[in-house]
Amino acid sequence: MRPLTDEETKTMFEKLSKYIGENIKLLVDRPDGTYCFRLQNDRVYYMSEKILKLATNISRDKLVSVGTCFGKFTKTGKFRLHITALDFLAPYAKFKVWVKPGAEQSFLYGNHVLKSGLGRITENTMQYQGVVVYSMADVPLGFGVAAKTTQECRRVDPMSIVVFHQADVGEFIRNEDTLT
Amino acid sequence: MQRLYVGGLSHTVTQKDLKDRFGKFGEVKDVELRTRRDDEGVPYKTFSYININISDADLKKCMTVLNKSKWKGGTLQIETAKESFLHRLTAERQEAAEQRLQQPAAEDKRQKMLNSLSKAGVENFTMKAAVPGTEIPGHKDWVVSKFGRVLPVLQLRCQKGSRARTLKYDPSKYSHNIRKLDRSTTEDEPTPISQLTWELEGGDDDISKKRRGEFPPFEPSRPKKSRTDVLNSHNTMGKSRSKQTVESVDQTEAGQFTNGYEQPASHRLTQRRGAVFDNDIDSDEEIRRMVAAQSTSHAALRQEVDDDNLEVVGLDYLVKSGRSRPQQKGPDDEEENDYDSADTDELLASRKPPPLPPQERLTLSTAEQPSRNGTDKKRKTKKKSKTGEEEDDSADDEDHLTSRKPSSTQHTEDSSKQSKSKKMAAPPVLKPPVQESSSDSDDGDDEDEEEDEEEEEESVDSSSDSDYEAMFSNVTRLEISLADLQRLAEVSQQTTDPSTPGASSEQDTPRRPAKKGTTPEEILASLMDEDSSEDEPKKKKKKKRKAAVSAPLPAFRGMGALNEGSEGEEEEDEQGSKVKKQKLESEAPQLNQRAKHMETEKKTSESSEDEEEEEEEEEEDRVATKVLKVVPTKAAVNTKKAETSSSSSSGDEEEEEEEEEEESSKVTHTVLTAKVAASSSSSSSAEEDEDELISDRVAVKAAPPPAPDSESSTSSSQEEKEKQAPPRAPLGAKEEEERQRKANMRRLAAVQQRQKEAEEHKKLIQGALAKLDAPTAGAGKHIVFGSDDDDDEDDQDKQQTTSEVTASKKALFEDSQSEDETTVKDNDTVKEKLMELQSRFGRDERFRMDSRFLEEDEDKDEESEKKRSVTEEDESLEDERKKNLSILQSVLGSSQQTCSSKAAAKGKTFRDVSALHYDPSREEHAAFETKTDKTKESKSARRKKREEAQKLPEVSKEIYYDVSGDLKAVFGRTKEDNAEEEQKANWDQDEEEEEETKDEQPTLLSSLLSADPSAEKEESSGFKFSFFGDDTETENKETEEYKVESIQAPKVSWQQDPRFHDSSSEEDEEEQEENEEQSNAVAMTTQGSQVLLSFLSPGGAEGAVGGEEERAQTGVPQETQGCQEEAEVLPEELRIMGCLRVSVWTDSAS
């Protein structure tokens, strides 16, 4: 377990900033304690200082997970967000998409969000903007990437994809073994 | 015979040409000319086959000569071709026929074979009853296969890879099905060769024509211009093209062509324009067509937009947590309901708040239900009383009785019902105050109102909104009555402590006197009582739940006790008015009862009182066990008395004391007295009943019911009492009053006696207390009150309260003293109280203390640890964070100042919403509190605002005057002279008015004016407009004597007149407004009327002179006086209609 390098930090922040923008600051600089990002097994964990100290008691090879996994670095050096980060992204998300109840299940099974399932969308959403997907009951379901702008979303036919699926809470069940 | 292929021919070559050409080399037998055409019928290749009898030499020669020679535009290519297949076929057939003629041997061979087989027992290639696989004797290769068939063994030759091998196929092993070929069919004559070739028969249809190579004349295929195509093209063009400058002409055209089609949105309009006019289309036709297409497309688009309920929200859209979903209902409410059934209950609850959901109703305490019933009844009866108060009293009574009977039968068991009946019984006392209240001052009303509101808010939980409203409707009347009661009580207790506990206790006063209402008004009052006392059962329940009796409740009762004590006096006051005879009569029984009680008390004196006390104590023991669950020792009882209701548990004898100690507000005491009386007079059965009641009475409100019981002595039920009430009423009211008076007198005497005794006791107790160590004495009445505060407050406050406890001990025991209790007992009680207090406080206080200490310890430890260890790690972490922040900054690209953790804490803070709990001790959480103070404070501000808003129209008016001025300038200039003269008469009136109105506030103005003319209001300083230029100012200066005339200069528009704005009070300002309006008109004609003014209002300068006097002084003719009345009306008109009227009026006048 080690702190992120500058490059890694930058990569990760760039990814996070697609979803929560400058609100990353609130994650890094928290008044309720010191929180930090740590890299372990190519995965980035977000944990408090306390947990960090506790985790030092465990050898690296035995440590499966600590704190909250935000995502992992792929072999190509990109950062991929995991659904476990949703709890931290959802409150700060700038652009949101609400999915109709009928399309919830489809999204939770890993499918993209179609126009027909789009219940509500934040205005001025740009194309390929990272969005957090909510149910109409404002329960965060996952996140994805806007396939179309808000204006386009109004016009496109019902079966066109509006939000590309990236992660959803269904993964907690589907990828239970790999999700750490 | 040679067959030649000749290629590269020109399309125009004919067979004859070829014959001629090749005839030189040999005899041409047949020429077959072929032309290849493409699908459009254009020939692209022509060639021919030629059968020619030619020698080899000739052929060679022919080839050299003609091959690759140019002929008719084509290069000939000559090759030898294979013989035509038809020729070959005929040749083969001929050959076969010849062979057949030569093959009779084969026939014979076959016959021989058959014969030999038949010899071996084979008939027609079958051998019956032979095992498959047996060889035919004599024939080596023949075997018997399945079904007795005789078949040859085949030697198959297969070539696998390079080498070939033979494969033996034994039919006995494989063949199941064999087909027998008939030889005769194969031997039929073949079709003649001439019939082997044929031509396609062609009709006139296109396909056959095309097969034959005939094609229709070429017409270029027109792409169909369907509407969709047009649309697509438009859209693509509109999108792809950069927006060009749109010509206005085109826009107008587009407007014409839209056919009234309404654009759903503005952006669509622009889009359409772009789509239309980006194209380089000029002709109207095309434009028209496009517009039509566009409109249809837009219609479709709009429909689509309408269809999908896609919602676009702003960036600041607030996401509600999942928990709060039921409240947040979007357009898909039903959908949500459908897919989530878990929250249906919540939904139900949220959707129909007024009718409580069934579950809730079930959970409601049984005590609350009767109260609701009571309210219902109340409503009914209220209606009745409203419709006709003259209705028969008896009828109402009957209604009441009938309605109550069922409930009252079980009253011993059902405490709530009892309370209800109690409420019913309450009315009579209320009534007199109601009548009196009409003339009364409303001093206490506000307080009362607030109190009522609070109480009712409490009860709102159990009752629906409608109930609440109904209750509120009654509130006003109730307040008044309460205020009166309070006043009466105060009057009666002038000698005693004037500082009554306050309006809070007044609420209970009406309940105290348990009486049955006979008049409709009384019934009403009782009903109101029900409202206010609806929450009683709740309170009781609360009390039962909490071991510690809350302080506020006793506080409520205190006033009741007070009133009770003063009731007699009240009645005395009431006696004066004979109108209230009825009520007095109705009250009489109670009074009698009380008087009797007093008498008995007096008679028994202290000795008997001791006995009574013992009884009391017994009862109280029960109470204690039931409610407080304190060890039911006598001492405990005493302590309990002191604590619970903060009433001294002295009992009947202490009534006087209680009256004195209104602060302590003991209602329980009265209850106790009632109990005592009941127990003493009633049989054991009654006592039992009361025991059951005690638990209910702990809350103190049960006082009234027992009292009647004691009188009746046979039964303690309320109903019976109610029944008895009417018969009692007819008793001579006056006699009873006298008796009551006597009783009161006696009682007062006893009260004084007891006061003295109580003082002695106090002294004794104080002495005893002085010996006790201070810290242990944690008991005190104030603590009781303070304890509640402590629960809410911090530890520091606690400490303060503890100190208060010690300090207030004395006062506490002064209150709780009882005549009969000896000092020893008091000591015991003190100890008990201390124990009680400790036990009661212990929970909170100890806990808090512990927690506090723990916190402190932890903090210290943590701090020390941190100081030691954290330094390095934290520094590293801090560095990391800073680094992260810097990176973040670079990533975001925005120049956000890197704020340290402290700064961040102050700024935007991370809020873990799930962990957010309201903590009253934290300052930040004050944001969650609803502050009522602000609204009160802001009332004045609001009023100011309102008034300011009201002032605004003035400005507009004055602006208007500009116009009127212009109008006048336009219209009036020509005949100015005449107009002014004519106006004089009219404007006189105005001026007089002015003077009148002026005279109302002359003192103020004059004084203020003289005092400080410099004090100008800033608000009005900005804009100056003088219609007459400097004239007005000069006039003012000239006519200084007329200070009233200063009105000529209106507030804003004309110029600042400090004298008007000096008046700080807003009422004055309003008056000024009136004046200004009038003066505006005056100012218009100042020039004309100046002379008149000057002699009209000399007294205006002095200010204090009335208008009438002025008129008299100045000698204004009667006509003007008559006109003045008109003028008085006119200003009103002016005010209403505004400046327009003024101008019109002036014009008309001119």
Side-chain angles (χ1 to χ4, degrees), chain B residues 129-339:
Chain B
V131 180
T134 55
E135 276 191 15
I136 304 297
H139 296 274
K140 192 182 167 187
D141 291 340
W142 290 80
V143 293
V144 177
S145 78
K146 294 171 179 172
F147 312 115
R149 292 176 300 200
V150 177
L151 294 172
V153 174
L154 301 180
Q155 301 288 337
L156 299 179
R157 187 180 176 192
C158 71
Q159 194 159 7
K160 229 180 187 181
S162 57
R163 72 192 178 91
R165 64 194 177 99
T166 54
L167 205 146
K168 189 181 176 186
Y169 178 82
D170 190 351
S172 66
K173 291 176 183 170
Y174 304 108
S175 298
H176 294 266
N177 304 319
I178 283 179
R179 182 171 183 185
K180 194 175 189 177
L181 300 175
D182 197 359
R183 202 181 177 189
S184 61
T185 57
T186 59
E187 285 180 354
D188 279 352
E189 275 298 306
T191 51
I193 289 169
S194 61
Q195 293 176 6
L196 285 176
T197 58
W198 65 94
E199 273 196 8
L200 278 172
E201 287 189 15
D204 283 337
D205 52 344
D206 288 347
I207 293 174
S208 55
K209 274 182 185 172
K210 281 185 183 175
R211 262 189 212 130
R212 281 176 308 215
E214 299 169 6
F215 291 94
F218 171 72
E219 7 174 283
S221 65
R222 254 186 273 153
K224 289 178 184 175
K225 285 202 175 181
S226 67
R227 215 165 47 181
T228 55
D229 291 343
V230 175
L231 278 185
N232 290 337
S233 65
H234 287 328
N235 288 339
T236 52
M237 274 192 279
K239 280 177 191 169
S240 62
R241 282 209 178 197
S242 61
K243 300 260 172 182
Q244 297 172 350
T245 54
V246 179
E247 296 176 3
S248 60
V249 181
D250 290 342
Q251 283 184 2
T252 55
E253 271 185 347
Q256 291 170 357
F257 295 136
T258 45
N259 299 331
Y261 167 70
E262 292 266 342
Q263 294 296 335
S266 60
H267 75 270
R268 213 156 278 151
L269 179 70
T270 58
Q271 174 200 356
R272 191 197 60 178
R273 276 180 191 159
V276 173
F277 300 108
D278 285 349
N279 304 327
D280 301 327
I281 293 167
D282 299 330
S283 72
D284 285 356
E285 238 185 339
E286 271 175 320
I287 289 175
R288 215 168 285 146
R289 207 177 60 199
M290 282 170 54
V291 166
Q294 204 80 24
S295 67
T296 55
S297 75
H298 279 308
L301 223 173
R302 183 179 51 179
Q303 208 170 10
E304 190 186 79
V305 168
D306 290 348
D307 285 345
D308 72 343
N309 48 0
L310 174 59
E311 192 179 347
V312 175
V313 297
L315 282 174
D316 51 350
Y317 181 84
L318 203 63
V319 172
K320 291 144 199 159
S321 65
R323 276 162 250 145
S324 64
R325 170 153 43 85
Q327 286 88 342
Q328 171 252 348
K329 284 297 162 193
D332 329 37
D333 271 359
E334 291 167 6
E335 280 185 353
E336 284 185 13
N337 289 347
D338 288 344
Y339 91 98

Side-chain angles (χ1 to χ4, degrees), chain B residues 786-801:
Chain B
S787 65
D788 289 341
D789 297 340
D790 287 354
D791 292 344
D792 299 336
E793 290 170 1
D794 286 345
D795 302 338
Q796 297 173 355
D797 295 333
K798 265 251 164 103
Q799 288 175 345
Q800 290 177 0
T801 53

Side-chain angles (χ1 to χ4, degrees), chain A residues 49 53 92 120-121 123 137, chain B residues 313 317 325 873-874 910:
Chain A
E49 178 196 15
K53 282 173 185 165
Y92 301 127
R120 191 187 297 153
I121 188 170
E123 66 182 352
Chain B
V313 297
Y317 181 84
R325 170 153 43 85
E873 300 172 6
D874 278 3
F910 174 82

Side-chain angles (χ1 to χ4, degrees), chain A residues 64-121:
Chain A
V64 173
S65 173
V66 59
T68 303
C69 180
F70 259 49
K72 72 171 191 178
F73 282 104
T74 61
K75 302 292 184 192
T76 56
K78 289 172 189 156
F79 184 72
R80 179 169 291 223
L81 272 175
H82 281 178
I83 187 60
T84 44
L86 180 66
D87 288 343
F88 292 90
L89 298 187
Y92 301 127
K94 305 204 116 186
F95 295 93
K96 308 182 183 85
V97 165
W98 285 262
V99 169
K100 286 179 184 169
E104 260 178 48
Q105 196 183 41
S106 170
F107 177 75
L108 292 182
Y109 282 177
N111 298 319
H112 302 306
V113 178
L114 302 181
K115 163 72 184 307
S116 60
L118 183 67
R120 191 187 297 153
I121 188 170

Side-chain angles (χ1 to χ4, degrees), chain B residues 198-486:
Chain B
W198 65 94
E199 273 196 8
L200 278 172
E201 287 189 15
D204 283 337
D205 52 344
D206 288 347
I207 293 174
S208 55
K209 274 182 185 172
K210 281 185 183 175
R211 262 189 212 130
R212 281 176 308 215
E214 299 169 6
F215 291 94
F218 171 72
E219 7 174 283
S221 65
R222 254 186 273 153
K224 289 178 184 175
K225 285 202 175 181
S226 67
R227 215 165 47 181
T228 55
D229 291 343
V230 175
L231 278 185
N232 290 337
S233 65
H234 287 328
N235 288 339
T236 52
M237 274 192 279
K239 280 177 191 169
S240 62
R241 282 209 178 197
S242 61
K243 300 260 172 182
Q244 297 172 350
T245 54
V246 179
E247 296 176 3
S248 60
V249 181
D250 290 342
Q251 283 184 2
T252 55
E253 271 185 347
Q256 291 170 357
F257 295 136
T258 45
N259 299 331
Y261 167 70
E262 292 266 342
Q263 294 296 335
S266 60
H267 75 270
R268 213 156 278 151
L269 179 70
T270 58
Q271 174 200 356
R272 191 197 60 178
R273 276 180 191 159
V276 173
F277 300 108
D278 285 349
N279 304 327
D280 301 327
I281 293 167
D282 299 330
S283 72
D284 285 356
E285 238 185 339
E286 271 175 320
I287 289 175
R288 215 168 285 146
R289 207 177 60 199
M290 282 170 54
V291 166
Q294 204 80 24
S295 67
T296 55
S297 75
H298 279 308
L301 223 173
R302 183 179 51 179
Q303 208 170 10
E304 190 186 79
V305 168
D306 290 348
D307 285 345
D308 72 343
N309 48 0
L310 174 59
E311 192 179 347
V312 175
V313 297
L315 282 174
D316 51 350
Y317 181 84
L318 203 63
V319 172
K320 291 144 199 159
S321 65
R323 276 162 250 145
S324 64
R325 170 153 43 85
Q327 286 88 342
Q328 171 252 348
K329 284 297 162 193
D332 329 37
D333 271 359
E334 291 167 6
E335 280 185 353
E336 284 185 13
N337 289 347
D338 288 344
Y339 91 98
D340 190 359
S341 63
D343 290 334
T344 46
D345 290 349
E346 285 182 12
L347 291 174
L348 274 177
S350 65
R351 277 186 187 167
K352 24 181 167 177
L356 288 174
Q359 310 126 328
E360 258 193 303
R361 236 172 237 163
L362 289 177
T363 57
L364 278 178
S365 64
T366 55
E368 285 171 349
Q369 282 181 331
S371 68
R372 191 174 297 140
N373 294 339
T375 56
D376 292 343
K377 280 177 197 167
K378 169 207 73 188
R379 256 182 260 149
K380 252 192 267 167
T381 52
K382 186 179 144 200
K383 273 183 190 171
K384 279 182 189 170
S385 60
K386 272 186 181 173
T387 51
E389 285 194 351
E390 301 87 1
E391 270 186 12
D392 285 347
D393 301 347
S394 61
D396 281 351
D397 290 351
E398 282 175 5
D399 286 349
H400 274 272
L401 289 175
T402 52
S403 64
R404 268 172 234 156
K405 266 183 185 177
S407 66
S408 57
T409 50
Q410 305 167 347
H411 96 104
T412 53
E413 298 161 2
D414 195 353
S415 61
S416 60
K417 279 173 186 171
Q418 202 189 21
S419 65
K420 187 187 78 182
S421 58
K422 232 185 293 163
K423 297 161 204 163
M424 295 291 195
V429 175
L430 264 185
K431 214 237 155 167
V434 171
Q435 290 182 341
E436 292 175 1
S437 65
S438 59
S439 61
D440 255 351
S441 65
D442 297 337
D443 297 345
D445 283 1
D446 292 347
E447 290 179 359
D448 292 349
E449 200 174 350
E450 288 176 4
E451 283 291 331
D452 293 346
E453 284 176 0
E454 285 176 5
E455 283 200 357
E456 278 166 355
E457 280 173 4
E458 285 181 4
S459 64
V460 164
D461 300 345
S462 60
S463 62
S464 64
D465 289 350
S466 59
D467 287 342
Y468 180 79
E469 286 176 3
M471 279 159 20
F472 237 71
S473 64
N474 290 333
V475 163
T476 51
R477 295 192 76 173
L478 192 58
E479 293 158 19
I480 295 165
S481 68
L482 287 175
D484 276 22
L485 278 176
Q486 188 187 13

Side-chain angles (χ1 to χ4, degrees), chain B residues 473-510:
Chain B
S473 64
N474 290 333
V475 163
T476 51
R477 295 192 76 173
L478 192 58
E479 293 158 19
I480 295 165
S481 68
L482 287 175
D484 276 22
L485 278 176
Q486 188 187 13
R487 194 176 56 88
L488 288 172
E490 283 175 0
V491 168
S492 65
Q493 296 165 359
Q494 289 163 354
T495 57
T496 62
D497 200 347
S499 66
T500 57
S504 62
S505 59
E506 293 168 4
Q507 193 67 8
D508 289 353
T509 56

